[in-house]
Amino acid sequence: MAEHIAVLDFGSQYTQVIARRIRELKVLSRIYPYNTKAADLKQAGVKGIILSGGPSSVLSKGSPRPDRKIFQMGLPVLGICYGEQLMAHLLGGKVAKSTHREFGHGTLTIKKKGKLFTGLPKKLRVWNSHGDRLEVLPPGFEAIASTENSPYATIQDAKRNFFGMQFHPEVAHSEMGMEVLGNFILKICKCDHNWSMANYIEHSIKQIRETIGDKRVILGLSGGVDSSVAAALIHRAIGKQLTCVFVDNGLLRLNEREQVEKLYGDHFDLDLRVARKSKLFLDRLAGVSDPERKRKIIGNTFVEVFDEAVTKLKKRGNYAFLAQGTLYPDVIESVSIEGNPAALIKSHHNVGGLPKRMKLKLLEPLRELFKDEVRELGTELGLPKEVVWRQPFPGPGLGVRIMGPIRKSNLDVLRKADAILHEEMMASDLYYQVWQSFCVFLPVKTVGVMGDERTYENVVALRIVESVDAMTADWSRVPYDVLRTISNRIINEVSGCNRVVLDISSKPPGTIEWE
Ligand code: XMP
């Protein structure tokens, strides 16, 4: 591997955030298990070492320790939080149990800038999260910054280029944390800017090819950002050894299946199998109003259909892997006392339990990346903006946007209304500015008048929200003129709807979806 920074993982939830910050500095890094041998790091071309934080206490028996020889390699070392305490403890200092945890914001007062704090102001707001405290510095070390609760918030041995900090420079709440990391990585380790998305793609492709060999891969393509980018990347690596399965559950938006077929089948020349199962889904949903039952039926039927598609494929080819577009935020890192940090997968995906049952291995090429990086990757791979910046769409699709029982006629009304909303959001340049914009079908009939005729039709609600993470949301202040055009067009162009209403509820207490 080319020159890089080694991040030794002691199980912090921020380890991947450190790696991500290093990518932002355009420098190559790699996360290693905490006990990787110094000789292996040397051979791999490491230029500096970061010891991550972690949930353990250096005072506990069996807490994770690095190979002590990493301190004899002549390489700069930066210990963060648990990493700092470890370094101090292993190099002859003393760590003690603190009477209280230092958690949250603190003010860092810099006493000596040295190489680490070059170009930074004297005081910084930083984010702390640690229990133990350093009491005696190891030989050769000095304190260069303090916080309200700790005289040893940052320590250094300038001769050996060893640094330790109790705060987390990698998190967004730490002011100028990027500059601190930048000083360590660029000035102290003297790393070159050798990371780029193009290189990352090249590296991933190589890895995917090595992992897959001559086997085949199945991927459940939903058309969403994550599965689309995973498909494009794996396809670039292994071409026709990848087969994507797209399930038409009858709850898709207007022309959605056709668009997927056109983009992936025709444009990307991907081996795409479309399971046309709308009748099966809609039959099973007939007469069901309860949102949770709808979700269950849709989820279970999806698993069944996907399972069937996989079984069929496995009979015909050497399929050994199931690919998923799992991102880093979907992965929970945890550390076990004796073993290496283990990664657990949140089973929020419909296919969460499938790989085991299907005797397939998992391939997750995006699991180190954050959403914005996945978007950058997708763009670099040539996916269009409409895919890369697509708004979220729930797995159960329009099934949870039709209140009451799902009927084909209601779906038709919702699809047409939703397509008009989409067109107008695009035309007014608002589509990419909001978090989500969609229509909800209300099975409520109201009276209207069209021309000389009295009408008695359904209501469509507009749900347009702004959010950063879907945990909270506010309704979008869409200009009246745009709302007027949307409403006029829906009422005039969609038969079966004579009234459009606007949802002005925030989340909480409302949710984004209506079901
Ligand atoms: P709520 O309605 O809970 O939605 O405020 C938060 C975000 O999650 C999406 N959502 C779902 N996504 N399966 C999904 O894949 C679901 O069952 C589901 N329900 C809600 C919703 O669109 C919003 O972005």
Side-chain angles (χ1 to χ4, degrees):
M1 199 171 166
E3 281 181 356
H4 65 283
I5 294 288
V7 181
L8 297 193
D9 184 14
F10 292 91
S12 165
Q13 55 175 326
Y14 299 130
T15 301
Q16 291 286 351
V17 183
I18 300 174
R20 188 234 150 93
R21 296 287 174 240
I22 303 174
R23 291 197 287 275
E24 279 177 48
L25 291 163
K26 302 281 169 224
V27 172
L28 200 59
S29 74
R30 193 172 152 196
I31 295 173
Y32 290 89
Y34 63 83
N35 51 4
T36 304
K37 292 266 167 283
D40 294 340
L41 295 177
K42 192 166 194 165
Q43 208 185 8
V46 168
K47 282 206 85 179
I49 298 172
I50 294 181
L51 311 177
S52 85
S56 315
S57 160
V58 295
L59 301 170
S60 314
K61 239 180 108 194
S63 54
R65 303 285 160 99
D67 177 0
R68 277 173 183 263
K69 294 205 184 85
I70 60 167
F71 298 110
Q72 292 149 23
M73 295 169 73
L75 292 179
V77 179
L78 170 66
I80 296 174
C81 192
Y82 176 77
E84 180 201 34
Q85 287 156 6
L86 251 184
M87 184 157 70
H89 181 76
L90 295 174
L91 297 178
K94 189 161 176 252
V95 175
K97 272 253 163 296
S98 181
T99 44
H100 62 280
R101 266 189 91 77
E102 190 178 6
F103 183 79
H105 273 121
T107 304
L108 186 81
T109 305
I110 298 171
K111 288 191 295 193
K112 186 170 180 179
K113 291 204 173 165
K115 286 187 240 170
L116 195 62
F117 292 134
T118 300
L120 294 174
K122 280 221 145 67
K123 284 195 189 294
L124 290 175
R125 262 166 79 73
V126 293
W127 180 259
N128 294 293
S129 165
H130 61 94
D132 299 341
R133 57 185 286 142
L134 201 54
E135 286 210 326
V136 181
L137 292 183
F141 277 80
E142 61 181 329
I144 56 169
S146 59
T147 57
E148 296 87 338
N149 294 318
S150 167
Y152 302 137
T154 309
I155 59 171
Q156 72 170 15
D157 175 340
K159 238 194 199 148
R160 288 187 286 178
N161 275 328
F162 290 168
F163 303 87
M165 47 187 62
Q166 235 148 39
F167 64 96
H168 287 273
E170 71 276 20
V171 305
H173 320 285
S174 283
E175 214 181 343
M176 305 193 83
M178 272 299 276
E179 281 74 6
V180 177
L181 285 174
N183 281 346
F184 178 73
I185 287 161
L186 302 171
K187 298 211 167 84
I188 297 167
C189 300
K190 301 195 167 58
C191 285
D192 294 328
H193 294 294
N194 59 354
W195 188 92
S196 67
M197 196 46 96
N199 287 347
Y200 182 84
I201 292 175
E202 213 174 287
H203 173 69
S204 300
I205 286 175
K206 209 168 136 233
Q207 258 188 340
I208 294 170
R209 285 186 184 147
E210 274 168 21
T211 310
I212 304 305
D214 60 355
K215 304 278 195 300
R216 286 170 176 269
V217 180
I218 299 170
L219 181 141
L221 184 70
S222 71
V225 181
D226 308 346
S227 68
S228 299
V229 175
L233 179 63
I234 300 168
H235 179 253
R236 171 92 54 107
I238 58 170
K240 293 279 181 191
Q241 279 167 267
L242 169 72
T243 299
C244 291
V245 176
F246 178 80
V247 177
D248 181 351
N249 59 8
L251 303 165
L252 304 173
R253 287 159 293 186
L254 196 66
N255 302 327
E256 194 166 355
R257 191 191 67 218
E258 292 79 357
Q259 281 161 8
V260 165
E261 283 173 331
K262 202 163 150 220
L263 178 64
Y264 299 98
D266 300 348
H267 178 69
F268 274 94
D269 193 25
L270 207 137
D271 178 18
L272 177 71
R273 315 287 167 102
V274 177
R276 298 185 179 209
K277 295 288 178 182
S278 68
K279 188 170 179 319
L280 177 69
F281 279 86
L282 296 185
D283 283 351
R284 289 189 183 173
L285 285 165
V288 178
S289 302
D290 178 65
E292 283 317 300
R293 266 198 70 209
K294 281 184 188 171
R295 273 200 170 72
K296 241 195 196 115
I297 294 171
I298 297 167
N300 291 343
T301 310
F302 177 85
V303 169
E304 200 183 302
V305 167
F306 194 72
D307 209 353
E308 202 181 276
V310 170
T311 310
K312 238 202 246 158
L313 284 171
K314 280 181 77 180
K315 277 193 194 132
R316 306 221 329 256
N318 194 5
Y319 288 91
F321 290 86
L322 181 72
Q324 287 184 345
T326 318
L327 309 191
Y328 177 65
D330 304 330
V331 176
I332 307 157
E333 294 280 326
S334 74
V335 67
S336 67
I337 305 280
E338 297 90 4
N340 282 343
L344 306 170
I345 300 154
K346 249 200 280 178
S347 59
H348 74 278
H349 286 278
N350 284 329
V351 287
L354 283 186
K356 225 178 187 169
R357 214 174 76 209
M358 294 172 171
K359 302 201 167 63
L360 291 169
K361 285 188 217 142
L362 261 184
L363 177 69
E364 297 179 310
L366 312 179
R367 60 181 286 127
E368 284 172 13
L369 301 181
F370 291 74
K371 193 83 174 188
D372 57 328
E373 295 180 302
V374 168
R375 292 208 162 104
E376 199 188 328
L377 173 60
T379 307
E380 187 89 23
L381 287 166
L383 284 169
K385 187 175 177 188
E386 301 88 79
V387 171
V388 171
W389 288 95
R390 205 177 88 137
Q391 293 175 359
F393 184 62
L398 300 183
V400 289
R401 290 181 181 171
I402 300 251
M403 303 302 101
I406 299 165
R407 288 198 196 93
K408 206 174 159 302
S409 55
N410 299 349
L411 274 169
D412 286 340
V413 171
L414 180 60
R415 274 196 188 107
K416 285 180 194 149
D418 198 65
I420 290 171
L421 172 62
H422 183 265
E423 267 177 45
E424 292 303 325
M425 291 298 286
M426 282 289 191
S428 55
D429 280 337
L430 291 171
Y431 178 87
Y432 296 113
Q433 286 178 39
V434 302
W435 176 263
Q436 269 172 299
S437 48
F438 58 87
C439 291
V440 178
F441 179 90
L442 308 189
V444 177
K445 294 216 170 190
T446 71
V447 173
V449 53
M450 267 193 130
D452 291 333
E453 269 180 58
R454 175 186 180 279
T455 57
Y456 189 52
E457 305 282 10
N458 297 289
V459 181
V460 162
L462 307 178
R463 184 64 166 149
I464 309 171
V465 296
E466 278 159 31
S467 175
V468 271
D469 54 8
M471 301 297 286
T472 60
D474 196 9
W475 55 281
S476 211
R477 272 52 165 182
V478 176
Y480 284 167
D481 285 350
V482 178
L483 289 173
R484 183 183 53 195
T485 309
I486 295 166
S487 162
N488 281 347
R489 281 198 58 197
I490 292 177
I491 293 169
N492 285 324
E493 295 173 34
V494 182
S495 69
C497 164
N498 66 353
R499 194 173 294 271
V500 171
V501 297
L502 179 67
D503 181 352
I504 50 169
S505 328
S506 62
K507 173 183 180 175
T511 49
I512 295 176
E513 302 289 343
W514 277 37
E515 284 195 337

